[in-house]
Amino acid sequence: DQQVKQNSPSLSVQEGRISILNCDYTNSMFDYFLWYKKYPAEGPTFLISISSIKDKNEDGRFTVFLNKSAKHLSLHIVPSQPGDSAVYFCAASLNNYGQNFVFGPGTRLSVLP
Amino acid sequence: GAGVSQTPSNKVTEKGKYVELRCDPISGHTALYWYRQSLGQGPEFLIYFQGTGAADDSGLPNDRFFAVRPEGSVSTLKIQRTERGDSAVYLCASSSPGTGLSNEQFFGPGTRLTVL
């Protein structure tokens, strides 16, 4: 049973528009959430994170929103650029239980020029 | 100033053989993690080291899998009697935990293991 779900395996967006990637989780004990980006033949790279005490965190073109009651988070990228084309993984962790992350299956974002 | 490195980048072996995968973390990072990523899936946690000791090995799928980090730096993931289902990309990550919340993990490029 997947604890972290990303129900859209792929997403295509026009350059300059907003990209919205969604993530749902089932374990209410998760306390910290991250987004990682992965290019082919490379390891995932950290993008942005959010603690459960917040509902929004912004870093440049990237904003993560957290809705704890719905167990849902989303990553907004605006404006989208062709270099943003990659696989995006949502991950969650239990702060008090250690540091391993539970990853979702990923969403492949294609930003079309 | 190098990132996390993993060797080999690709490994092809036959069913039943033994393999070792190596991870060199970022210098000074005390925490080291191994993940396995199967096709179409996200990384799946295997084991986490804090220094030389395995702080959490709950993700190791069975006793064919073992990992060591004898000097608190380089780590080796060992797989005995490989099976075709072990085919995946094995990712290593390191971090420098402080206090409080989970910290960013820096990933290596992975080792693609293929068991024929």
Side-chain angles (χ1 to χ4, degrees):
Chain A
D1 182 33
Q2 277 191 339
Q3 295 189 71
V4 178
K5 303 176 185 182
Q6 294 177 257
N7 292 323
S8 297
S10 63
L11 175 69
S12 292
V13 171
Q14 207 70 35
E15 180 179 5
R17 299 290 184 108
I18 185 170
S19 296
I20 300 176
L21 297 101
N22 293 302
C23 176
D24 297 282
Y25 60 96
T26 57
N27 190 339
S28 58
M29 298 295 289
F30 285 141
D31 213 22
Y32 191 71
F33 305 89
L34 309 92
W35 285 93
Y36 274 79
K37 179 168 75 171
K38 185 181 184 303
Y39 294 117
E42 295 182 10
T45 57
F46 171 77
L47 195 56
I48 193 169
S49 64
I50 189 167
S51 162
S52 61
I53 61 174
K54 294 186 174 182
D55 56 16
K56 177 182 174 182
N57 189 26
E58 191 172 353
D59 184 2
R61 297 185 297 114
F62 303 92
T63 303
V64 56
F65 295 92
L66 175 63
N67 182 334
K68 280 203 75 175
S69 61
K71 297 192 186 73
H72 176 84
L73 63 155
S74 60
L75 174 68
H76 292 211
I77 307 173
V78 56
S80 301
Q81 299 173 354
D84 296 330
S85 297
V87 177
Y88 288 78
F89 292 102
C90 171
S93 76
L94 304 165
N95 284 323
N96 294 331
Y97 285 76
Q99 306 231 354
N100 73 71
F101 295 158
V102 180
F103 283 83
T107 296
R108 181 177 300 279
L109 173 67
S110 300
V111 180
L112 309 172
Chain B
V4 177
S5 63
Q6 292 185 245
T7 54
S9 54
N10 279 284
K11 176 71 178 177
V12 180
T13 191
E14 293 180 343
K15 180 174 178 290
K17 299 287 188 182
Y18 168 82
V19 297
E20 288 189 354
L21 311 179
R22 177 187 167 110
C23 172
D24 282 85
I26 292 172
S27 177
H29 278 190
T30 57
L32 185 146
Y33 314 79
W34 283 99
Y35 290 85
R36 176 170 69 175
Q37 186 176 13
S38 301
L39 194 63
Q41 300 297 318
E44 175 193 7
F45 170 78
L46 296 177
I47 187 169
Y48 153 55
F49 286 90
Q50 181 59 253
T52 60
D56 183 353
D57 64 358
S58 62
L60 294 177
N62 52 59
D63 61 6
R64 295 187 298 105
F65 288 75
F66 189 69
V68 295
R69 195 186 186 201
E71 297 178 359
S73 177
V74 170
S75 176
T76 305
L77 179 66
K78 308 180 180 192
I79 311 174
Q80 297 177 320
R81 304 182 304 280
T82 51
E83 299 177 357
R84 293 194 179 88
D86 299 335
S87 297
V89 175
Y90 288 81
L91 293 163
C92 176
S94 71
S95 71
S96 183
T99 57
L101 300 179
S102 298
N103 289 277
E104 176 186 348
Q105 295 180 14
F106 295 84
F107 282 83
T111 293
R112 180 175 297 278
L113 175 66
T114 303
V115 182
L116 301 177

